[in-house]
Amino acid sequence: MKSNGPITRRRAIIAGLASLGGLALWKTPRELPPTYGNILRMGDTFTYAAQRALLGDALVKEYTLADLTSFPATGTVDPAVMDRSGSADYRRLKDQGFAGWQLSVEGRVARPRTFSLNELKALPSRTQITRHTCEEGWTAIGQWTGVPLSVVLDAVGLLPSARFVLFRSFDDWTDSIDLLDALHPQTLLAYGMNGRDLPLAHGAPLRLRVERQIGYKSMKYLRRIIVTDEFDDGGKDGNIQNGWAWYTGI
Ligand SMILES: Nc1nc2c(c(=O)[nH]1)N[C@H]1C(S)=C(S)[C@@H](COP(=O)(O)O)O[C@H]1N2
Ligand SMILES: [Mo]
């Protein structure tokens, strides 16, 4: 009888360790950002872990038309006048009122294809009034109309190996978000702002809205969307090599 004590305890410890191990395995994909392990990116890890654990699919607050504020344009305000790899194409498309503009959606999808602006506008749309927070220290409230990114990803069919969605812009920005943000109901490909077509300075003809992250994640002047199975930091055009965090939950 007495010998049962230690055996039971040892069994309990083994069972406990096994379930801890299982827990760790179960938690890893959700709670560690792809930048985990880079000592300079510790902030990413803490924000990502905390927000993914606490927020899940929570929506950000939406405002009313009475709350709209003036909305400064920052960063690029016209790729056509820059010297970037997409500038000549952007100049040509802008001169045609973006009639020939097309968004390419490719990568880990079953049916890669391009979308014209009219094709995107024919898909189910969503309008939302949200607060934008720029890392430079200002906020503004604007109304965005567009197609949820999830609708477009549904149309092309995510492959089971899909894990990130990478964006490329006409001013050569490269950035990515994980599927939790990509499939979030407030993540939009926006073609309208405050009831009008998206203005040039705010990213015409199409920009991203990632409402649960800071302003620079909402890429303007979209050109390509690439679904990836591995994290891609965007190289010299990505925010990591430019000294910014990949994950910037607010
Ligand atoms: N392609 C591209 N996207 C961009 C930027 C940019 O310079 N180029 N600036 C970012 C930053 S820092 C912010 S705060 C918002 C600004 O959006 P707005 O110009 O509509 O205010 O766009 C983000 N997306
Ligand atoms: Mo910003």
Side-chain angles (χ1 to χ4, degrees), residues 71-76 132 134-135 138 169 171 173 201-202 207 215-216 218-221:
F71 207 114
T74 49
T76 299
H132 177 99
C134 172
E135 79 294 347
W138 54 269
S169 69
D171 57 345
W173 275 41
H202 293 285
R207 78 174 299 162
Y216 65 75
S218 287
M219 191 186 288
K220 308 195 285 186
Y221 314 107

Side-chain angles (χ1 to χ4, degrees), residues 89-101:
D89 283 341
Y90 191 81
R91 228 169 356 254
R92 182 176 47 80
L93 293 165
K94 181 183 150 189
D95 287 347
Q96 306 162 353
F98 298 111
W101 174 92

Side-chain angles (χ1 to χ4, degrees), residues 63 67-74 130-142 144 193 202 209 211 213-216 250:
Y63 296 80
D67 301 316
L68 289 183
T69 67
S70 70
F71 207 114
T74 49
T130 50
R131 180 189 297 273
H132 177 99
T133 303
C134 172
E135 79 294 347
E136 290 169 353
W138 54 269
T139 70
I141 294 175
W144 306 101
M193 180 185 186
H202 293 285
R209 292 298 311 167
E211 303 292 359
Q213 294 201 52
I214 217 160
Y216 65 75
I250 48 176

Side-chain angles (χ1 to χ4, degrees), residues 165-221:
V165 183
L166 185 83
F167 303 88
R168 300 271 311 160
S169 69
F170 283 96
D171 57 345
D172 289 348
W173 275 41
T174 305
D175 198 6
S176 64
I177 57 178
D178 67 11
L179 283 191
L180 210 58
D181 270 332
L183 300 177
H184 186 273
Q186 289 167 319
T187 298
L188 298 188
L189 298 175
Y191 43 73
M193 180 185 186
N194 296 345
R196 294 163 300 150
D197 283 348
L198 185 64
L200 183 72
H202 293 285
L206 191 79
R207 78 174 299 162
L208 182 64
R209 292 298 311 167
V210 186
E211 303 292 359
R212 298 191 303 181
Q213 294 201 52
I214 217 160
Y216 65 75
K217 296 295 286 190
S218 287
M219 191 186 288
K220 308 195 285 186
Y221 314 107

